[in-house]
Amino acid sequence: MYSFMGGGLFCAIIGNILIVVSTATDYWMQYRLSGSYAHQGLWRYCMANKCYMQTASIAYWNATRAFMILSGMACFAGIMAGILSFAHFSAFERFSRSFAAGIMFFISTLFVLLAMSIYTGVTLSFLGKRFGDWRFSWSYILGWVAMLMTFFAGIFYMCAHRMYESRRVVGSR
């Protein structure tokens, strides 16, 4: 049980770091514009070694930003519940912290999946046609890796919960 929780906590911490780095950095997309390379993230775009804030309130950027922030918050809440699941307080006997942590990691996974899907869909259908020579960059890839890490953290914590419940049921007979 503790090995599943430890593995889940490791995946969750790495996933949360990746969510924060992916959300904060400016390399979601790289493209060639007027002969020089440019790149953009969720908050800024950079051209000719100068970066500018994304001041336009475009719905897909706002949705992607919101889902990435919500994902980071859900993952952090899951990490806190995961850490608390190592402690056994009798006041929380009817509340399974490992189950709660697993659910929070799955919610975080859902939010990252929504953010990445929205960004991918709009980029492929609109921005990809606007810029001829473009590609997704490392911040974008970190977002997908973060989704996998939070998903595996949820799986690990659900396995830990199942092991705990099966031991509890066998022990009560």
Side-chain angles (χ1 to χ4, degrees):
M1 178 175 80
Y2 288 115
S3 60
F4 280 124
M5 289 191 312
L9 197 57
F10 174 77
C11 287
I13 290 170
I14 297 299
N16 203 19
I17 290 170
L18 294 178
I19 288 169
V20 169
V21 170
S22 175
T23 304
T25 54
D26 300 326
Y27 285 89
W28 281 59
M29 181 177 155
Q30 290 180 327
Y31 49 91
R32 184 179 291 266
L33 189 64
S34 302
S36 65
Y37 283 103
H39 56 88
Q40 71 179 22
L42 298 178
W43 310 99
R44 300 184 318 171
Y45 64 96
C46 301
M47 297 184 305
N49 296 329
K50 283 192 172 185
C51 293
Y52 308 95
M53 294 299 295
Q54 302 265 20
T55 56
S57 181
I58 300 173
Y60 87 94
W61 271 330
N62 291 338
T64 304
R65 290 172 188 157
F67 283 129
M68 288 300 282
I69 291 169
L70 287 172
S71 174
M73 291 169 44
C75 190
F76 183 75
I79 290 170
M80 291 296 109
I83 290 171
L84 289 175
S85 69
F86 281 101
H88 297 288
F89 297 116
S90 60
F92 293 116
E93 205 166 295
R94 296 184 50 115
F95 175 70
S96 174
R97 289 171 294 244
S98 61
F99 182 76
I103 293 297
M104 292 307 293
F105 295 136
F106 285 137
I107 290 171
S108 177
T109 300
L110 176 67
F111 285 149
V112 173
L113 180 63
L114 287 170
M116 300 307 290
S117 298
I118 290 168
Y119 189 85
T120 302
V122 171
T123 301
L124 290 177
S125 64
F126 175 67
L127 293 177
K129 295 175 183 173
R130 187 171 146 202
F131 304 112
D133 183 19
W134 69 276
R135 65 184 174 116
F136 290 116
S137 193
W138 60 269
S139 297
Y140 173 82
I141 294 166
L142 287 182
W144 283 110
V145 174
M147 186 202 70
L148 290 174
M149 296 301 282
T150 57
F151 178 73
F152 287 127
I155 294 289
F156 282 138
Y157 268 93
M158 287 300 165
C159 289
H161 172 70
R162 290 285 292 188
M163 286 183 68
Y164 174 75
E165 286 297 313
S166 66
R167 286 182 185 172
R168 192 172 64 104
V169 169
V170 170
S172 66
R173 288 185 182 178

